[in-house]
Amino acid sequence: MQHKKWLFMIGTLTILLLLAMYIHLTSGVFAMTTTEVFKTLLRIESTDQFDLVIFDFRLPRILTAALVGMGLAMAGVVLQGITKNALADPGIIGINAGAGCAIVIFMFFFQVELVNVEINSVLKILIVPLFGFVGGAIAAAIILAISYKQGRMDMQKLILTGIAINTGFNAITLFWSLKMDEGDYQAAAIWMNGSIYNSNWYFVSAMLPWLIILGIYIYRKAYLLDYFQLEEETVLSLGISLEKEKVKLLLASVGLVSACVSVSGSIGFIGLMAPHIARQLVGIHHKYMMPVSLFIGAILLVFSDYIAKTVFSPVELSVGIVVSLVGIPYFLYLLVKSKG
C-alpha cells in the first residue's frame, strides 16, 4: 500500500515540477506562447531569437534551479538522519558557509566571476566545486572534532558548533569579499545571497557529475538512515559501523552542498523544508522519503526563482532571499513545534 502511495506521490510531484518549469520557461520580459516554446524545443520553425531566450538563458537557469534544489534537499535528508535533529540543515550548521568561503577565496585569487562567465573561465568553473568541497569538508571536520565525545557524536553539540562555524565562516567570507575591487565585490555579493539568474550549461556540467555519483551513493545507503533513528546500542548490535558510516554520509552530503553552492551561492532552508514536507507525505522510511524530498526541493527552488524573476520585473531578486522569506517562518514554526 505504501509503495502505491509513493508512486502516486512521485507522479503528482513530477507533474508539479514540469508545471513549475513550464511557467518559468514561458514567463519573463520576453513573453512566449506555448506553441512558440514547443516549436522551439522540437526544432520546428525555431528562430535565433527564441533559441537564444530558451536554450541560452531560461533552460539552463531552470535546470540549475531544479538540480540545486535536489542536491540541497538530499543533503538535508542526510544531515537530519545523521543527527536525529529535525532542524538540521546545510545552511544552518555551517557547511554552506564553509563551501561558500572557499569559493569566494578562489574567486579572489583566480579572478573568476560566477555571475558574469567568460569562455576562458570555463575550466576554472568546472573545478570550483572542488574548492567548495574543501571548504565544506574543513567546516565539517571542525564540527566533528568538537562534537565527538568519547568516540561518539554529541548531536546537540554538533548543531550548536555548526551554528558557530556558520557565523565564523561568514565573517571570513565578508573579509575576503571586501578585499575585492568594486566590480568583483558586487558580483560576489550577488552570488553569496543565492543567485542563479545568469546560469549556463557550464554550471550544469560542473555540478551534474557530483549530483549523480553522490546521489546514487547516498540513496544506496538510505536504509542506514532508518537504522540511525534507533538507539546506538541497537545499531551497533546489527554489525553496523555507526560512526564510520555517519562520516561517509556526512562527507557525501558535503560534496552535494559544495556542488550546489559553487553554482548558486548560499541558499538556505531548502534542506530544512523539503525533508519535513516529504515525511508528512510518505512517512519516515528514507527509501521512499528521499526521492519525494528531491522533487519537493526542485519544485521549491524552481518556483522561488520564478518569483524572484517576475515579482519585481524587470528588476530581479536573489532567489536566496525569496527562499529565506518562506524558510525563516517555517524554521520558527518547527522550532516552536519541537519545544511543544
Side-chain angles (χ1 to χ4, degrees), residues 23-147:
I23 293 172
H24 199 316
L25 190 63
T26 55
S27 302
V29 176
F30 186 85
M32 304 178 71
T33 66
T34 303
T35 302
E36 290 168 341
V37 169
F38 278 101
K39 281 184 176 181
T40 303
L41 291 175
L42 298 174
R43 316 310 300 150
I44 303 171
E45 298 180 15
S46 62
T47 66
D48 291 340
Q49 190 177 34
F50 288 155
D51 283 348
L52 179 67
V53 172
I54 290 180
F55 292 108
D56 288 355
F57 297 144
R58 293 185 183 174
L59 203 54
R61 176 175 180 167
I62 293 168
L63 291 177
T64 299
L67 292 173
V68 169
M70 289 181 175
L72 294 177
M74 179 170 275
V77 171
V78 172
L79 290 174
Q80 290 179 16
I82 289 174
T83 62
K84 292 194 286 188
N85 190 315
L87 300 179
D89 170 80
I92 295 172
I93 69 170
I95 295 176
N96 274 15
C101 180
I103 293 169
V104 167
I105 294 173
F106 176 75
M107 291 166 64
F108 176 79
F109 282 105
F110 293 93
Q111 301 299 309
V112 179
E113 290 189 18
L114 296 181
V115 178
N116 300 303
V117 179
E118 298 176 359
I119 299 301
N120 60 11
S121 297
V122 170
L123 181 59
K124 294 176 183 177
I125 290 167
L126 293 177
I127 65 173
V128 163
L130 291 174
F131 282 82
F133 179 77
V134 171
I138 290 173
I142 296 172
I143 294 167
L144 288 175
I146 297 175
S147 63

Side-chain angles (χ1 to χ4, degrees), residues 145-166:
I146 297 175
S147 63
Y148 260 93
K149 185 179 181 180
Q150 297 178 345
R152 294 185 180 181
M153 287 187 197
D154 184 325
M155 295 309 164
Q156 184 175 1
K157 189 180 288 186
L158 185 144
I159 297 295
L160 294 175
T161 304
I163 294 171
I165 292 299
N166 182 60

